[in-house]
Structures are given as C-alpha cells and as structure tokens.
Amino acid sequence: MLLAAVIAFGALPGAAWAQGRIAGAVTDDATGAPLAAVLVEVVDAQGAVAAQATTGPGGTYVIDGVSAGSYSIRFTAPGWVTVVMESQAVAAGQSTSVSTTMTQQSFELNPLTVTASRTHEKVLEAPAAVEVVSTRDLEERQVTSPIEHVEHQPGVDVARTGIRGRAAVLRGFNNIFSSRTLFMTDNRIARVPSLRVNIFYLNPASDLDMDQVETVLGPGSALYGPNAAGGVVHYLTKSPIRSPGASFSVGGGLRQQGNTPGVGSGPIQGEDAGLFQFDGRIAVAPSDKFGFKISGQYFDATEYVFNDLVEAQVGGAGQACIGAGFDPTSPACQPFTSGLDLTNPTDQGVLAQSARNAAMGRDDGHRNWGVDARMDFEPSPGTSLILAAGRNVAAQATELTGLGASNVTNWGVTYGQARLRHKDLFAQLFYNYNTNDETFLLRSGRPLFDNSSLLVGQIQHQSRIGSAHRLIYGVDYLGTNPDSRGTINGQFENDDETTEVGGYVQWEWALSPKFELTGAFRYDYNSSLTDPVFSPRAALVYKPDAANSFRVTFNRAFSTPTSTNQFLDISGGTIPIPGLPFRYDLRATGSAGNGHMYMRDSNGIPMHMSPFNVLGGGSARQFLPSTTAQLWSTAINTLGAVAGGDPQLAPLAALLPLIPVPSQDQVGILALLLDVEAAGGGAPPAGCVAPPFCQAVDLAALQDIEALGPTVSNTLEVGYKGLFGDRVSFGANAWFTRYDSYIAPLRLLSPNLFLNGAQLRPYLEGVFRQFVGVAFPNEAVALGTAQLVADLAAQVPLGAVTPTSAGGTTSAMVLGYQDAGGFDVMGGELGAGFALSDQLEMATSLSFIDKNTFETAGELLSEVSLNAPTVRGTASLTYRNDDSGINGGLRFRAQNGYPFNSGPWVGDVDAITTLDANFGFRVPGYEDLWFQVDVSNVFDKAYQSMLGAPAIGRVILARMRWDFSPF
C-alpha cells in the first residue's frame, strides 16, 4: 500500500497540469533510423524551459501539461547537431505534432546504450560505468579478435594468448579458460555452452556486421542474472532494415615473432608468417517492415610458436608408445594409461588415440570460419520479431585450459535465436550448441568430446506509472546440458545437468528533474545449489544539468559454479617418479554436490593412496594410513624392488628386511605439495627438501573441502560522467568490492607423503653401525650406505593424500576447485575524451586496483591472484576527415607487471608497453571502396601477457573494403 501511494503521488503532477500535448519523433538524417534518448525541451518566449521529455527506443516522445501558447522546441543529444524548431503553437486540449531529423557529429561523446539497464538510455544517464564503441570506430579498424575493440577502455584487461586467442576480464581476476565476464551478442549469451568460457573467435558475427559494442563495468546480476558479477561486454549487430546494403572485405598481413620464447617455453626459432582474412555482409530490406541479412567470415594464419616443455616430453612418449604397438603393459605407454581400464577395449582405444595425439603435438595453424543470418520483421512501430542463427567453426586452433594447452580441431558452436519486442514487452528464446570430437589436451594427448548445449528463455516488460516512475521486471530460464561422453565429466557424466530460474524487478523513480533513484532485486534458483540467491541493487543518480551526472550505486552479484567447477573428472596426464616405473594420475575433479572429503583413520588423519602398494599385493586405489609404519613398509618394498633388479644393489635388497621399523618420533612424515613453478623448470623456493615438492602441509590441520556455492560480490561505487561544452567528456569511478566464497582456479588438493630425510639418515646410520663386520666391511661403508638409502627413500613420493571424490583407476593426485573464502578489493577508473577539432579526437584512461594478491585461510590455498595489472593506462589519437575519406589513429597502452597463478602456470608477467596504429582512406574515384591498414605492437617489442601463452610480436593487417547497394 505504501509503495502504491508513493507511486500515485509521483504520478499526480503530470495529470494535474495536463493542458496541451506535444508529440513527435526524431530520426537519423543519414539512415532514417529512430533516435532514442534525445532530450526534447519546450522553450518559452523568455528562454525558459517549460517542459521536457526524452525520446524512447522508437525515437518517439510525448510531452503533456503544456500551457497554450507559442514555443520553440529544442532537440539536443551530445554527438548530434542541435535542432531548434521555432513558433510551434500549442492549444489547450489538443496535440501538436513536432518531428525532426538530426545529423551526427564526427565524434560522439555521449552515445546511446542499452546494456546498463536493458533499456535505451544515454551513457551520461546510465546508473553504471558504461563505455561504448561506435559504428564508425568499428568500421575504421581491422582486428583479429572482436574483443580488441574494447581493450583500450577503462577497467578492461585483455591478455593475448595467440594470433586470435584472448582472455578478457573487467576489473581484474583473469584466468586460464576465463568465464568471469558476461559476453553477449544481440542479447544472447555468447559463451561456449556448459564450459562457460569466453572464446571470442567463436562468435559467428562478422566484424562488418557490428553496429556497437557496449561495456558495463561492475556487477550486473540484478538484471542479467547469474555470472554477470564481473561486468558485461555486449556486441550489437546491424539491423537489415535500417542498414541495408552489401559490404565485403579481403585482407591479409603478417604476424612477426622474434626469438623470445616466453615463460614456460623452450627455445624457439621465431619467424614471420602470413595471414588471410575475409568478411562479408549482405542485407536486403524490401520494405521498411521487413529485412534479412547474412554475414560470414574466414580467417587463416600461422599461430605463434610456443614450445611447451611438458608437451615435448609427452610427445616423445607418444612416439615410443606407437613404436611399442600401443601395448598397455609396455613402459613406453605408461604415460597414457592414467584413469583407464586397460581390460576395456574402449579404454585401449583411448590409450592409442592419446599416444597418437601426443606424438602429433601442436598444429601450427589457426583457421576458423563463421556464418550468421538474421531476419527482421517490424509490422508496426514498437513491434519487431527477429529470427537469427549462426555457426562458427574453429577448424584449427590452440586454446589454453587449466590442464595445459589444447589442440582444437573442428570445434563448432551453433546458435538459434528468436526475439520479440512489442512496445514495452521483450521476449527471447535462444539455443547454443557445441559440436566437438577431435580436440585433445596437448600435455596428455587425452581426447575431448563436447556436444553440450544451453537453452535460455527470457521475458521482460516495462511499465511507466505517471511521468516519474518506470518498472522493469522479468524472468529468465537457463538449462545447461553437458555432454562429454565421459571425456570431460567422467564419473559425473550422467548427473551434470543444471537448471536455473530467476526473476527480477527494477524500479526507477525520477524524484525530480535532477535526481533519479533506482532500486532492483533479483531472486535465483539453481538446481545444483542448496540455497537460492538474492541480488539487490540500488543507485542514486544526480544530474545538475544535461551535461553532468553523479551516481552512487550498490550492487550484489553472484557467479554460480561452472560445469567444470562441479563436474570435471578428467586425467590431466601423469606425474612420473624419476627412476621408477610408477606414476600418479594427475586427476582434475569437480566439487559436485559433496565437495572433497578425505578418508581418515581412527585418529582423524587423512589417509593416502600409493602406486607402490601393488608391490605388497595391494591395490593402487586402496586408502592407507598415513603413518611412519605404513610409509616405511612402502619404502622397503619399493627399494627392495629397485635393488633386486640391480646386481650392484642386490646385497642391499637382502639387508632391507632386517632394518627395524622406526617409530613416528624417530622418523616422521612430511606432507608436501607439488610446486607448479618448480615442476615447470623454475627454481625451487628456498628450503625445499624434495624438489619439486616444496610446500609443507600439516596433515592434522587438513580439513575436508566443502561443496562450492556461488561467489557473491557486494560492490559500492561512486562515479561521475560529464561533458564540458561539446568538446570534452570526463568520467571517474571509485569502487569497493567484498568477495565471499570466491572460487579459486584449479589447485592441487593432494599433498604427497615422504619420509623425513633429515631424521631418516641418522636413524639408518645407527642401525647400519650394528651391521659393521657382518654386512659392511667398515663403518665408512655402513654410513655411506645409510646416506644412499636415506637419499633414495626421502626423495620418493610414497603416497598422495587423495580425496574420496577422485575418479580414475589408479593412485591420483587431485586438482580441484575450492572456496577461497572472502577478501576485499578496491579500485577505480578515469577516462577522458577530447574533440580537439571536427577531425581530431584524443582519449585517455587510467585504471587501478589496490593489490594483486589476496590472502586466504586455507591449508592448501594461501592466496588468490588478481592475474591482471594493478595499474594500466591508455591514450589514443583519432583522425577522421569525412570530406577526404581519410582516417587514422594511434593507440598507446602501458601496464605494470604482476604475479600470475592459474592452472599449471605460475610466475611473473613483465610490464608491457605497446603502440598500435591504423590508417585508412577512400580510394579516389571510388566512393564505396576503402583501403585500411592496422598495425599492433608497432615497434615489435615482444611481450607475454599470460603465462603459458606465446610472446606476441608485431601484427600487420591490411584490407580492401567495398560497401555498396546492389538492390
């Protein structure tokens, strides 16, 4: 009742003063397209504004309550030439029609956006930090990846992982296989289904069909639902009705690479290589109510070289296994047996395929193609039906994952979409589908199959209540159906579907012409989570005038665990034990619904598995007590097997059973985690006693790992956006975020067990002295043998403390996702644009975050990495002369170095400074023919922006673009 009374009160003024009406429409003078968010002011004879309104999505407006008289009607929109229509008469009780067209300026300082509130509004008025890339900016640049169009914006971090590969996030926390940012195309979630990873080159839309790119910094769950906590990047394509015609571009270029290998790579012999790119678009509009279009793209290039050291070792093993005829009992094939039932013919086939894949290694090409089609039907103003479908296929690519790089072959992503808009109602249904059965992991050769799908249905409606209130409300349905045939989700394959249903309401209240209050809340159910999630949002926007806007916002957002977080079950390869024919299965395992629990003995100490247990007649999958007595038995059996096979050590084999079992006080146990950096060839940290196993773990303090819940972020933000005249724009944001239940990337959950070498040697020396004159000729030989045995035993990982969730068929070292708890992060962004003249524009930005590592309280996880720079600055200069048809630009970027920790790659990323340039012109004598060239990393200063990725050199792209109207 109170809410109804408040809304009714806010609606009274519009009704009380109703006298005359002014209504009309505003369109683009060049294209005829309706212009939304144009400020329409009714100006009286004294120059005072008597009334005002803003055009809606269809470019229309209505102003009620205008007193009878003669007025000037002023149409204003930053980026457009102001129009004033004088001597417009208004009569009481009648409606006066006033419509106009507007001409766009060369540089638009306050463009239109739809992403921040899912409705049309100007960036200056949006209750969020929004950046927009215009159609002109998109047309004047040739890029290898669509995400490059936003990489110089404030708060955006784009890591280049290859010639087209990119990992992009907003406000930090990048990762291998990143899914933090919501990536959309025409209101459709454009992530890869199930895996929920953003692979930008799998977007079917051609660059020629892009109309606008919008970036919303900060959480967006209140309107966009789960998994928008990191912000939104939204690509909008052109309407065939409003943008008919044909465009084709053919281009090529050069990618250059020196001899800088990058961290994690062996030596490389860099070389220059060519690339080819084709884009096309045809749009036909037989009438102003119907249109259809089709666009396509093709890309072919040689990938940058990266000689992964682990891949090289596995590749050699693959060749040896092929030579052994894929015999599963052959030592040559042991690296490919992890997790397989070798009595099963299907698993025997997996072994053979894994060996062949590993021997083949990386393909040096990147080839993909895409096609996209759309039909628009607009039977009346405010009503539209859009049907769209597309497919993109990565015929060949290299993509980083948490288990090392993958060799992508014929991975296709297909979508179908239907959108309906009728006045204030919006509804859509779309279906995303994977087809992939030829991709494999390069560090294990293990084949990957993915036919997963995502079905989404959404309905949204908005209502205006009087002139001061607007309600936006809707419901979403998301159904995720993973299908990996056991290659990715293993034991969870039949229990990995997820259903999500959410509803939201947003209320916008124009408290006065200068203040607007926005409140929203969202409620979501997820079938894989115990509890529903509530996401509120509040924003207060103060607009002292049409050119300035201040805002204070609070957003709670959440990200649900991905399918891989919950249901991953795959062997990432084997961990060999040097000098011994035994291995651990490096097993990546999801949290599922139970988390990761450790089997415990009667004292509560976690138990372990050991591949050496078969020497005593046991199973490699058996849980064993983590005691000195058990590890001693394992060590004696292992050393006995080694000594028995070596004639020089045969006397030692006979001596080992005579050694008394030490007590826990005499020889203790060390629980050590594998150090990923040391295992990858880096220097082990100081104090490491059994490289590459270095980090000590207190077994008594090792707790079970709870099932994953949603990562929740609470963000408080203040911001300003302003225009100074028609030449300068400036924006500033400052924000504070509290993360709770943050899901960390894949980390080892299985510490390995060792006998304490520092205690083992003196214990054996005391025992062996007793055998002087019996087994040893003198004390020196006895002590030397004690040192030999101690060194051997203390360096062997005798077991792995393995959660009961581990799949596979042998002893496993588990990689898993875990809740890193909560931590705080602060940051901000500054951005400015300067229209120096009608042809020249400059833009600058500065983004900063307070720190790059965040402490956690877990026994196995001590910190979380930002995996992004804490300070990043950009500057750009753009020239555009419409009369001559010449355009060009320079783009500068500088960022500091940072520690990186994701998947198998740990280390430091160096600071990066780059300069990019582009130049284009209309070919003289041909109004529709353009030549363009784009150069990234102009000075060819090789840099590595993500560990595990190659060092990136200069890329030169040139193209001819032909725009024409064939119909």
Side-chain angles (χ1 to χ4, degrees):
M1 292 297 293
L2 178 60
L3 177 61
V6 169
I7 294 176
F9 178 80
L12 283 175
W17 294 97
Q19 297 179 25
R21 164 179 289 188
I22 300 176
V26 183
T27 56
D28 186 336
D29 180 64
T31 66
L35 296 181
V38 175
L39 178 63
V40 184
E41 297 173 302
V42 180
V43 183
D44 62 22
Q46 288 71 43
V49 176
Q52 64 182 33
T54 303
T55 59
T60 60
Y61 71 94
V62 175
I63 303 176
D64 287 316
V66 181
S67 300
S70 180
Y71 298 91
S72 296
I73 312 302
R74 184 167 58 209
F75 300 87
T76 306
W80 299 78
V81 177
T82 298
V83 174
V84 178
M85 301 185 70
E86 299 179 348
S87 303
Q88 301 298 315
V90 177
Q94 296 184 15
S95 179
T96 300
S97 177
V98 183
S99 298
T100 189
T101 61
M102 298 183 71
T103 303
Q104 187 175 15
Q105 296 174 338
S106 295
F107 298 103
E108 191 171 3
L109 298 180
N110 187 24
L112 185 69
T113 176
V114 299
T115 306
S117 296
R118 293 178 82 162
T119 59
H120 289 79
E121 60 193 339
K122 283 292 183 179
V123 166
L124 198 65
E125 300 169 352
V130 182
E131 299 292 335
V132 175
V133 182
S134 70
T135 305
R136 294 285 299 272
D137 291 330
L138 293 170
E139 290 175 344
E140 292 172 357
R141 286 198 58 200
Q142 183 184 14
V143 296
T144 58
S145 172
I147 198 66
E148 289 179 52
H149 289 300
V150 302
E151 68 178 345
H152 285 79
Q153 291 181 343
V156 180
D157 178 62
V158 178
R160 300 194 174 205
T161 61
I163 187 65
R164 296 202 84 185
R166 304 290 187 271
V169 291
L170 309 180
R171 292 181 173 172
F173 297 100
N174 211 342
N175 276 304
I176 300 295
F177 229 49
S178 177
S179 62
R180 173 174 162 78
T181 300
L182 177 58
F183 173 48
M184 303 175 65
T185 300
D186 288 336
N187 298 285
R188 177 183 63 86
I189 297 172
R191 293 166 169 150
V192 175
S194 177
L195 298 176
R196 213 164 77 196
V197 60
N198 291 324
I199 301 181
F200 299 101
Y201 56 77
L202 287 178
N203 183 22
S206 165
D207 230 34
L208 293 177
D209 196 34
M210 293 291 181
D211 189 39
Q212 186 165 293
V213 186
E214 301 176 2
T215 303
V216 180
L217 300 177
S221 286
L223 286 181
Y224 286 95
N227 315 315
V232 181
V233 176
H234 193 181
Y235 289 84
L236 300 169
T237 65
K238 297 175 181 177
S239 162
I241 297 177
R242 280 172 285 282
S243 299
S247 295
F248 293 96
S249 76
V250 178
L254 188 68
R255 77 107 178 97
Q256 296 179 280
Q257 183 175 23
N259 296 327
T260 301
V263 177
S265 172
I268 65 170
Q269 187 65 44
E271 59 181 16
D272 299 343
L275 59 86
F276 173 79
Q277 190 170 13
F278 169 83
D279 286 89
R281 176 185 186 268
I282 297 177
V284 180
S287 72
D288 60 357
K289 296 183 178 181
F290 176 75
F292 61 89
K293 67 177 182 179
I294 184 169
S295 64
Q297 58 174 298
Y298 177 79
F299 185 91
D300 189 348
T302 300
E303 186 56 89
Y304 281 100
V305 178
F306 186 85
N307 291 329
D308 187 291
L309 301 175
V310 176
E311 291 174 26
Q313 295 172 358
V314 175
Q319 295 283 4
C321 184
I322 293 172
F326 306 112
D327 181 359
T329 64
S330 168
C333 292
Q334 290 304 299
F336 307 103
T337 61
S338 290
L340 300 179
D341 178 2
L342 298 178
T343 64
N344 185 321
T346 300
D347 280 6
Q348 292 174 9
V350 172
L351 183 152
Q353 187 61 53
S354 298
R356 284 192 291 264
N357 290 340
M360 180 174 67
R362 295 192 182 210
D363 189 294
D364 65 354
H366 184 113
R367 295 176 294 280
N368 73 287
W369 59 268
V371 61
D372 196 54
R374 173 173 143 182
M375 181 194 75
D376 288 23
F377 179 51
E378 299 180 359
S380 61
T383 300
S384 65
L385 174 65
I386 298 175
L387 301 177
R391 177 170 173 79
N392 193 298
V393 176
Q396 188 60 56
T398 301
E399 190 66 34
L400 298 181
T401 79
L403 296 173
S406 61
N407 194 80
V408 175
T409 304
N410 292 328
W411 188 328
V413 175
T414 304
Y415 85 90
Q417 181 185 28
R419 286 186 283 159
L420 172 67
R421 187 181 297 277
H422 177 64
K423 297 183 179 178
D424 293 324
L425 174 69
F426 172 80
Q428 75 165 341
L429 181 72
F430 64 83
Y431 181 70
N432 297 342
Y433 178 66
N434 273 352
T435 53
N436 170 46
D437 59 6
E438 300 179 58
T439 296
F440 61 90
L441 293 173
L442 283 161
R443 287 190 165 196
S444 66
R446 192 59 59 93
L448 302 176
F449 179 95
D450 188 4
N451 273 10
S452 302
S453 62
L454 172 68
L455 176 65
V456 176
Q458 298 175 318
I459 299 177
Q460 176 182 290
H461 188 263
Q462 58 175 315
S463 300
R464 287 195 174 274
I465 305 174
S467 60
H469 303 276
R470 180 170 67 169
L471 288 177
I472 303 171
Y473 40 90
V475 294
D476 301 328
Y477 166 87
L478 292 82
T480 303
N481 182 21
D483 179 9
S484 72
R485 295 186 184 176
T487 62
I488 298 175
N489 288 358
Q491 61 182 315
F492 304 117
E493 187 65 43
N494 297 322
D495 190 28
D496 54 5
E497 295 185 12
T498 303
T499 298
E500 299 172 86
V501 180
Y504 59 90
V505 176
Q506 176 165 299
W507 172 37
E508 300 173 2
W509 182 8
L511 300 170
S512 72
K514 295 184 178 181
F515 285 94
E516 182 170 298
L517 178 66
T518 299
F521 67 89
R522 183 182 180 98
Y523 191 80
D524 283 272
Y525 160 81
N526 184 299
S527 62
S528 64
L529 301 179
T530 303
D531 300 315
V533 183
F534 174 66
S535 306
R537 177 192 192 197
L540 178 64
V541 178
Y542 169 59
K543 296 179 289 185
D545 51 50
N548 294 277
S549 174
F550 299 84
R551 70 181 185 278
V552 179
T553 64
F554 170 80
N555 286 278
R556 175 179 293 168
F558 70 101
S559 295
T560 58
T562 65
S563 176
T564 51
N565 291 156
Q566 298 182 91
F567 307 119
L568 185 65
D569 182 29
I570 182 175
S571 174
T574 59
I575 301 295
I577 301 172
L580 298 173
F582 295 93
R583 297 173 182 272
Y584 287 97
D585 178 11
L586 186 62
R587 196 85 192 174
T589 306
S591 172
N594 301 314
H596 300 284
M597 295 180 289
Y598 296 97
M599 185 71 73
R600 299 177 185 272
D601 61 19
S602 58
N603 294 322
I605 302 298
M607 302 175 75
H608 69 278
M609 293 180 181
S610 175
F612 306 108
N613 197 43
V614 296
L615 297 174
S619 166
R621 294 287 295 178
Q622 181 180 349
F623 283 100
L624 306 170
S626 301
T627 62
T628 295
Q630 177 60 53
L631 262 65
W632 181 260
S633 174
T634 301
I636 293 300
N637 290 335
T638 304
L639 292 174
V642 173
D646 187 339
Q648 295 182 344
L649 298 177
L652 179 61
L655 177 64
L656 291 174
L658 303 178
I659 303 175
V661 178
S663 67
Q664 190 90 15
D665 292 334
Q666 291 173 313
V667 179
I669 295 174
L670 296 179
L672 303 173
L673 276 177
L674 179 72
D675 186 287
V676 176
E677 188 171 7
C688 183
V689 296
F693 301 88
C694 299
Q695 180 183 334
V697 175
D698 182 357
L699 285 183
L702 185 59
Q703 301 296 313
D704 293 339
I705 297 171
E706 297 181 355
L708 297 174
T711 295
V712 177
S713 62
N714 291 283
T715 299
L716 180 65
E717 181 171 343
V718 295
Y720 167 76
K721 193 83 171 181
L723 301 176
F724 300 90
D726 58 356
R727 293 292 183 181
V728 178
S729 67
F730 177 77
N733 314 305
W735 50 269
F736 169 87
T737 297
R738 170 69 185 180
Y739 286 101
D740 289 302
S741 299
Y742 184 87
I743 299 175
L746 273 177
R747 300 287 176 86
L748 273 168
L749 308 181
S750 295
N752 289 84
L753 301 184
F754 297 79
L755 290 173
N756 189 324
Q759 296 175 327
L760 180 58
R761 179 178 175 182
Y763 173 75
L764 290 176
E765 288 176 344
V767 173
F768 284 5
R769 282 192 179 98
Q770 301 176 29
F771 295 109
V772 173
V774 179
F776 304 106
N778 55 54
E779 184 175 350
V781 174
L783 296 181
T785 305
Q787 181 176 347
L788 172 65
V789 173
D791 290 345
L792 286 173
Q795 295 299 312
V796 176
L798 298 171
V801 177
T802 304
T804 58
S805 55
T809 59
T810 189
S811 300
M813 292 169 55
V814 168
L815 290 163
Y817 302 93
Q818 54 187 309
D819 185 339
F823 53 85
D824 300 331
V825 56
M826 296 182 292
E829 298 90 25
L830 300 173
F834 307 89
L836 303 178
S837 70
D838 290 342
Q839 290 83 35
L840 194 63
E841 180 188 42
M842 184 174 70
T844 61
S845 75
L846 177 66
S847 307
F848 48 92
I849 299 176
D850 64 327
K851 50 192 171 185
N852 49 35
T853 57
F854 305 87
E855 294 183 358
T856 63
E859 181 66 26
L860 300 177
L861 182 67
S862 59
E863 65 181 23
V864 170
S865 295
L866 183 69
N867 288 339
T870 55
V871 179
R872 182 177 179 274
T874 68
S876 65
L877 188 66
T878 302
Y879 174 78
R880 181 179 296 142
N881 189 316
D882 292 333
D883 294 331
S884 67
I886 296 175
N887 62 76
L890 295 172
R891 298 173 301 281
F892 172 79
R893 171 170 62 104
Q895 63 187 47
N896 64 344
Y898 54 91
F900 185 85
N901 189 339
S902 183
W905 292 288
V906 179
D908 293 321
V909 173
D910 292 335
I912 297 172
T913 301
T914 64
L915 179 68
D916 304 336
N918 67 283
F919 174 74
F921 61 89
R922 186 171 53 238
V923 177
Y926 298 89
E927 288 295 314
D928 298 328
L929 192 62
W930 298 80
F931 174 79
Q932 295 169 308
V933 62
D934 196 285
V935 182
S936 64
N937 195 0
V938 170
F939 297 111
D940 196 23
K941 184 178 180 181
Y943 64 89
Q944 187 180 29
S945 57
M946 179 172 280
L947 301 191
I952 304 297
R954 182 193 293 123
V955 178
I956 303 172
L957 296 171
R959 71 173 178 180
M960 295 294 295
R961 192 185 87 232
W962 184 26
D963 302 325
F964 62 102
S965 299
F967 306 106

